[in-house]
Amino acid sequence: MLDEKNYRVDANFRWLGSRMKETEELCLTVCGIERCRPDKTFGPIIRDDYHVHMVLHGKGYLKMNGKTYTVTDGQIFTTFPDVEVYYYSDPKDPWYYTWISFGGIRAAYFLEKAGITLEHPVRDAYMDSGAFLNIAEKILNHHELIIENELLRTSFLYEAIALLVKSYSEQHPRKNLNSYPSDVYVNSALDYIHRNYARIQVSDVAKHIGISRYYLSRIFKNKMNISPQTYLLNYRLEQAG
């Protein structure tokens, strides 16, 4: 829950903070938008959550994990728990950014699916930066201390992470298409076949799951020792008998 001191606004800055809930899958901790001064610095500091920044204009520099990164508009930089970080504006072209910060037991997993790791903390946005800004603004606009806003802020956090994953997946389809273990897809295929066997084709099964027919055929045969096409035909015959 928030209290009044955890929401602040001035001419160049909006900030909202919340308590970490480490046992949750994802938990919003901070959200903000800032037009940074030329001399704006942050850190060195060690945090206990993830901070994902979308640079809207300008540029700045990130020092983390023994490396220095130059980050410009249209890029994202992320800081990680338990890692010392220091970042600062470019004095001639200071950055204007928005950020969403969070923790949770699946935070690292979701960020990895978005192409964000400690070894690769900076990535191109692969999206209109305004879309990420819009989500941050929705979080900030629901800062009042009511339960429905807490739920909405959490939903907006998931929306932001989904946008990061989607934008990365679309840019790197071979890296990120198959997000779950193959058994999950095969079990989903079996369930769909069993419920809809009379009126579907294998292409319908693949489309329902969200993977290619080629990939479905490969993992299905590896697990079931039979192609999905043959399995579907055999299952129809069994049900007809």
Side-chain angles (χ1 to χ4, degrees):
M1 180 173 290
L2 303 175
D3 57 41
E4 290 185 359
K5 69 180 180 180
N6 283 339
Y7 178 66
R8 301 200 297 267
V9 182
D10 66 26
N12 296 307
F13 181 81
R14 290 183 73 188
W15 181 93
L16 178 150
S18 185
R19 293 177 297 157
M20 173 80 82
K21 300 174 184 176
E22 296 180 352
T23 59
E24 294 188 359
E25 182 178 78
L26 280 178
C27 171
L28 179 73
T29 53
V30 180
C31 180
I33 304 170
E34 184 171 9
R35 293 184 182 275
C36 297
R37 304 183 309 271
D39 59 348
K40 173 72 176 186
T41 65
F42 202 95
I45 189 172
I46 298 176
R47 296 170 165 138
D48 58 1
D49 54 356
Y50 299 87
H51 288 236
V52 178
H53 302 71
M54 170 72 74
V55 181
L56 305 168
H57 297 292
K59 67 179 179 180
Y61 307 93
L62 168 69
K63 291 187 176 182
M64 186 174 67
N65 202 29
K67 297 180 180 179
T68 300
Y69 305 86
T70 300
V71 191
T72 63
D73 60 309
Q75 290 188 305
I76 295 165
F77 73 93
T78 301
T79 67
F80 291 76
D82 306 317
V83 177
E84 185 175 85
V85 60
Y86 175 65
Y87 50 95
Y88 53 97
S89 300
D90 182 86
K92 294 183 179 179
D93 188 16
W95 51 17
Y96 164 40
Y97 54 52
T98 183
W99 73 98
I100 298 175
S101 309
F102 52 90
I105 57 178
R106 301 198 73 193
Y109 172 80
F110 289 135
L111 283 176
E112 182 180 357
K113 294 304 177 183
I116 298 170
T117 63
L118 182 59
E119 292 73 28
H120 298 94
V122 178
R123 56 158 265 200
D124 291 337
Y126 308 128
M127 71 176 88
D128 177 3
S129 58
F132 194 85
L133 173 62
N134 180 61
I135 297 173
E137 288 177 332
K138 288 193 294 186
I139 292 173
L140 292 165
N141 290 341
H142 290 81
H143 59 85
E144 295 90 351
L145 302 179
I146 53 178
I147 296 298
E148 66 187 73
N149 277 355
E150 182 177 358
L151 294 171
L152 284 168
R153 289 192 299 268
T154 299
S155 74
F156 298 146
L157 169 61
Y158 276 89
E159 184 181 352
I161 301 300
L163 185 62
L164 292 172
V165 173
K166 181 176 185 291
S167 61
Y168 184 76
S169 179
E170 289 177 344
Q171 191 70 22
H172 303 87
R174 293 186 178 182
K175 289 185 179 181
N176 211 52
L177 174 61
N178 309 310
S179 301
Y180 294 101
S182 60
D183 282 359
V184 173
Y185 293 115
V186 174
N187 290 336
S188 180
L190 289 169
D191 178 67
Y192 190 70
I193 289 171
H194 294 166
R195 290 185 291 107
N196 303 279
Y197 63 90
R199 59 182 184 277
I200 60 170
Q201 300 176 352
V202 173
S203 58
D204 298 317
V205 181
K207 183 178 180 180
H208 172 76
I209 298 170
I211 61 178
S212 70
R213 177 170 177 163
Y214 169 80
Y215 182 68
L216 172 62
S217 296
R218 180 161 62 86
I219 61 175
F220 197 98
K221 193 168 185 178
N222 285 343
K223 181 175 181 180
M224 305 297 294
N225 295 315
I226 188 174
S227 72
Q229 180 67 35
T230 302
Y231 183 92
L232 174 59
L233 293 174
N234 289 347
Y235 192 78
R236 281 177 181 158
L237 292 172
E238 291 175 8
Q239 298 306 305

